[in-house]
Amino acid sequence: MPGTRVFSLGTAGCNMGCFFCQNWDISKSHQDQVNARDVPPEAVPELALSHGCDSIAFTYNEPTIWGEYIIDIAAPRNPMD
């Protein structure tokens, strides 16, 4: 969706050691170096929409690090809940 805003999410920390990593400084950060929030999966689409974003990107580190979280975010929800 060219020209639209993207809500990007990333985690600090990665247990991979890829020699080509572009985000090595955040992928190997320590707890005291991170300014982060705990965001429940069901809140992510709401946050994206509230910021005017039409899509969500899971970025900054290896996707398999947080695969379960991504699956939970993408799970269908009943709009009547």
Side-chain angles (χ1 to χ4, degrees):
M1 297 188 311
T4 64
R5 298 179 68 167
V6 177
F7 190 77
S8 294
L9 293 169
T11 62
C14 183
N15 61 356
M16 306 290 275
C18 306
F19 71 90
F20 52 83
C21 183
Q22 296 176 7
N23 297 309
W24 62 269
D25 54 336
I26 62 172
S27 73
K28 301 300 180 194
S29 59
H30 298 278
Q31 184 81 17
D32 62 343
Q33 298 172 311
V34 177
N35 181 10
R37 293 183 218 169
D38 183 25
V39 181
E42 59 276 2
V44 173
E46 296 169 10
L47 281 169
L49 291 172
S50 72
H51 284 87
C53 299
D54 294 320
S55 55
I56 300 171
F58 302 96
T59 185
Y60 306 117
N61 60 9
E62 169 59 37
T64 58
I65 301 301
W66 53 338
E68 293 89 353
Y69 182 64
I70 294 170
I71 290 169
D72 290 345
I73 291 169
R77 290 184 177 54
N78 183 348
M80 302 304 286
D81 287 345

